[in-house]
């Protein structure tokens, strides 16, 4: 594990006891403290309010115990406040080594807490030293260390990809990262690049990325026993999005290094699947492009024949993510998966509807949708289901092609984008589409401003339940 993800194997003499409480638990816990500590807490106004902490001194002047207030685990609002309360501790508590007192009573709780601590220890330090190191936690006795390490590695790996500027994370850099991961994990890997895309029918990927100095490409990774059920993971890899000839304004373009967040999600999910040795045949597809401007950039009202054979009229060059995903979906269809998940930073409309914390979930299968939503609540990783409203499909009809990539009006943008994708979903596959923002727009406990994973833990939980080793 990276050094910044700080766990200690056992308690040492300098270890501080860490007691985490919901506000409702405080009166009962206060009675268990010594009279001196109870008086100290009263004088400091500590009542275990969420986000507060208090250091209780020992006789030698050192901190003997740290009290922390947190949202109750059974708050029931699906916000994940309990998890993020723990995730906020590594970088808000004073430096030191802490052990949970009392220890979590179950392996599931111990593992959740350790995952939260690991995720909360993250810092993006590729270009600048982190302001501080995280506090360390003695491994909870019942925690599944292998699961914790796998989740924390995957989360940090994906956030590093998203946080890295486009100068160092173009289509070539994203491919290098994917191929290095494949080599590490023993996955198969191939890349179709540049003019070879057109030769193999990936005309939409080529059209979106052809104006950039760094060639577009389709990255494909594979793993697992060919006799096992086939699962496809597809991630949008727009490494920077100017909007093409329909250029974005400055404010809209500023964060477009994160437009490959979907690709980062599926690569992280693939890591989890392989490390857990799930019984499935995995196919990972990442169309990696830059949507740039030059003399050969794709133009409004151009018509492009997709890998699936459908012709697509370009109603707007800034609706490029769905184009590259359509060609990747066509490649997935060739392998006849029984299940397909895609992640994409696809629409601003989803953000307007749900804000930055809730990814929009679309699915063609009620059982799959229900499983993902339930897993999201269970693993502090919520999503919100949106409808694949069939009457809106006519809004992307075209007079000159099989379909347009946008509608002619501003309404239902996230639904329209999902309906476009649905036209390319492999026949008979259960499919779910996560429209994610992949970015925390303001700093919060455990979630500094920057890259943020959404739907990752929920998706893995569903895959693990279906394809357990």
């Amino acid at each position: 594990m990276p050094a910044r993800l700080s766990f200690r194997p056992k308690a040492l003499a300098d270890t501080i006891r860490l007691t985490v409480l919901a506000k409702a638990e405080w009166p009962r816990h206060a009675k268990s403290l010594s009279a001196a500590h109870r008086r100290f807490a009263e004088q400091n106004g500590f009542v275990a309010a969420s986000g507060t902490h208090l250091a209780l001194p020992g006789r030698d002047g050192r901190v003997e115990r740290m009290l922390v207030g947190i949202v109750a685990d059974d708050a029931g609002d699906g916000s994940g406040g309990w998890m993020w309360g723990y995730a906020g501790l590594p970088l808000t508590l004073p430096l030191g080594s802490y052990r949970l007192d009392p220890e979590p009573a179950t392996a599931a709780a111990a593992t959740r807490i350790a995952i939260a601590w690991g995720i909360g220890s993250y810092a993006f330090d590729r270009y600048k030293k982190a302001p501080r190191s995280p506090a360390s936690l003695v491994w909870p006795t019942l925690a599944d260390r292998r699961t914790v390490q796998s989740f924390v590695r995957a989360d940090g790996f994906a956030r590093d990809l998203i946080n890295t500027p486009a100068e160092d994370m173009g289509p070539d850099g994203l491919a290098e990262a994917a191929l290095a991961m494949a080599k590490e994990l023993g996955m198969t890997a191939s890349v179709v690049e540049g003019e070879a895309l057109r030769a193999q029918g990936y005309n939409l990927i080529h059209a979106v990325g052809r104006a950039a100095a760094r060639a577009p490409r389709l990255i494909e990774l594979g793993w697992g026993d060919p006799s096992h059920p086939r699962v496809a993971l597809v991630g949008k890899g727009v490494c920077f999005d100017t909007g093409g000839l329909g250029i974005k304004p400055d404010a809209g373009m500023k964060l477009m290094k994160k437009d490959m967040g979907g690709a980062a999600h599926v690569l992280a999910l693939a890591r989890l699947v392989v490390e857990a040795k799930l019984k499935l045949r995995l196919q990972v597809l990442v169309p990696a492009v830059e949507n740039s401007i030059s003399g050969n950039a794709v133009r409004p009202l151009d018509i492009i024949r997709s890998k699936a054979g459908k012709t697509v009229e370009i109603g707007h060059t800034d609706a490029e993510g769905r184009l590259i995903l359509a060609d990747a979906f066509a490649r997935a269809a060739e392998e006849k998966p029984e299940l397909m998940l895609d992640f994409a930073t696809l629409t601003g409309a989803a953000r307007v509807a749900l804000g930055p914390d809730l990814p929009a979930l679309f699915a063609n299968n009620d059982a799959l949708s229900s499983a993902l939503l339930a897993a999201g609540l269970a693993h502090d990783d919520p999503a919100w289901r949106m409808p694949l409203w069939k009457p809106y499909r006519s809004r992307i009809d075209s007079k000159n092609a099989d379909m347009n990539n946008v509608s002619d009006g501003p309404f239902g943008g996230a639904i329209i984008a999902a309906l476009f994708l649905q036209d390319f979903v492999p026949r008979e596959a259960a499919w779910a589409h996560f429209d994610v923002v992949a970015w925390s727009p303001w700093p919060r406990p455990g979630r500094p401003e920057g890259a943020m994973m959404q739907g990752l833990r929920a998706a893995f939980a569903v895959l693990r339940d279906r394809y357990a080793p």
Side-chain angles (χ1 to χ4, degrees):
M1 296 173 64
R4 64 179 178 235
L5 306 178
S6 184
F7 293 95
R8 279 194 177 186
K10 61 182 180 179
L12 301 175
D14 61 345
T15 302
I16 300 166
R17 289 184 291 169
L18 178 64
T19 302
V20 182
L21 303 158
K23 191 172 183 179
E25 298 173 308
W26 171 244
R28 176 177 56 82
H29 183 78
K31 294 177 182 178
S32 70
L33 299 176
S34 68
H37 279 166
R38 189 162 58 249
R39 191 179 311 113
F40 186 82
E42 290 172 356
Q43 290 177 343
N44 283 276
F46 183 81
V47 293
S50 177
T52 63
H53 63 266
L54 178 69
L56 298 179
R59 292 182 179 179
D60 60 359
R62 297 180 181 180
V63 177
E64 179 181 303
R65 182 191 296 268
M66 185 70 70
L67 301 176
V68 174
I70 198 171
V71 173
D73 187 22
D74 60 355
D77 60 2
S79 67
W82 179 87
M83 173 186 169
W84 295 119
Y86 276 97
L89 298 180
L91 296 178
T92 57
L93 291 179
L95 280 175
S97 175
Y98 297 85
R99 67 177 175 88
L100 295 169
D101 183 17
E103 284 262 0
T106 66
T111 301
R112 283 175 71 196
I113 290 169
I115 288 172
W117 193 279
I119 289 174
S121 299
Y122 174 83
F124 182 59
D125 54 8
R126 177 168 176 172
Y127 303 95
K128 181 179 180 180
K129 185 178 179 181
R132 56 160 286 180
S133 298
S136 62
L137 180 69
V138 174
W139 276 107
T141 302
L142 298 179
D144 181 338
R145 297 191 187 189
R146 179 179 173 184
T147 295
V148 173
Q149 290 170 334
S150 185
F151 266 106
V152 174
R153 275 195 299 264
D155 181 87
F157 169 73
R159 289 164 76 181
D160 277 351
L161 293 179
I162 298 168
N163 281 324
T164 299
E167 177 69 15
D168 293 325
M169 192 53 64
D172 51 350
L174 184 56
E176 288 172 9
L179 295 178
M181 186 191 84
K183 183 177 180 181
E184 173 195 348
L185 299 176
M187 305 176 75
T188 61
S190 63
V191 179
V192 183
E193 180 179 341
E195 290 303 311
L197 288 165
R198 271 206 301 200
Q200 297 187 33
Y202 299 107
N203 296 311
L204 291 174
I205 298 174
H206 181 272
V208 171
R210 70 193 185 199
R214 292 178 285 195
R217 59 207 74 197
L218 177 63
I219 305 159
E220 180 170 350
L221 310 181
W223 177 85
D225 187 333
S227 68
H228 287 160
R230 295 180 179 270
V231 174
L233 305 178
V234 185
K236 175 186 170 184
V238 177
C239 296
F240 196 81
D241 180 19
T242 65
L245 292 176
I247 191 168
K248 293 178 183 288
D250 287 350
M253 201 186 303
K254 183 177 181 180
L255 287 178
M256 284 301 99
K257 70 175 184 178
K258 77 173 184 67
D259 212 18
M260 40 63 68
H265 275 73
V266 299
L267 291 174
L269 185 53
R271 289 192 73 101
L272 293 171
V273 166
V274 174
E275 290 180 351
K277 297 180 171 58
L278 300 188
K279 288 186 176 180
L280 55 82
R281 175 63 172 174
L282 182 65
Q283 181 187 37
V284 182
L285 294 161
V286 174
V289 304
E290 288 180 272
N291 187 22
S292 297
I293 299 171
S294 72
N296 68 338
V298 67
R299 297 162 290 266
L301 301 189
D302 279 355
I303 296 176
I304 312 294
R305 185 171 298 277
S306 69
K307 173 73 169 175
K310 299 177 188 287
T311 54
V312 181
E313 186 173 27
I314 308 301
H316 204 299
T317 63
D318 196 21
E320 82 298 330
R322 66 200 70 179
L323 298 175
I324 65 172
L325 289 173
D327 271 357
F329 280 22
R331 169 65 188 120
E334 294 175 350
E335 300 298 323
K336 297 180 174 57
E338 70 170 34
L339 175 66
M340 186 168 80
L341 303 177
D342 82 82
F343 287 78
T345 52
L346 205 61
T347 67
R351 308 289 74 75
V352 172
L354 299 176
D357 286 354
L358 277 176
L361 173 67
F362 295 86
N364 67 357
N365 181 284
D366 289 342
L368 175 59
S369 175
S370 296
L372 288 166
L373 293 174
L377 293 177
H379 295 274
D380 305 308
D381 195 17
W384 196 268
R385 190 177 186 184
M386 301 279 274
L388 289 164
W389 188 245
K390 290 182 180 179
Y392 291 170
R393 172 58 184 81
S394 63
R395 306 313 304 163
I396 52 174
D397 288 344
S398 167
K399 295 178 182 178
N400 301 307
D402 292 324
M403 60 198 308
N404 202 302
N405 73 327
V406 295
S407 67
D408 58 0
F411 303 117
I415 299 173
I416 294 292
L419 289 169
F420 179 93
L421 293 179
Q422 189 177 29
D423 265 31
F424 298 89
V425 171
R427 186 174 299 175
E428 307 302 330
W431 164 65
H433 159 58
F434 285 89
D435 190 337
V436 299
V437 64
W439 193 265
S440 178
W442 50 78
R444 291 166 289 173
R447 291 166 288 184
E449 181 180 353
M452 176 172 65
M453 296 295 96
Q454 296 177 298
L456 176 64
R457 295 186 303 282
F460 177 70
V462 169
L463 294 178
R464 183 184 56 201
D465 289 346
R466 289 191 174 207
Y467 306 108

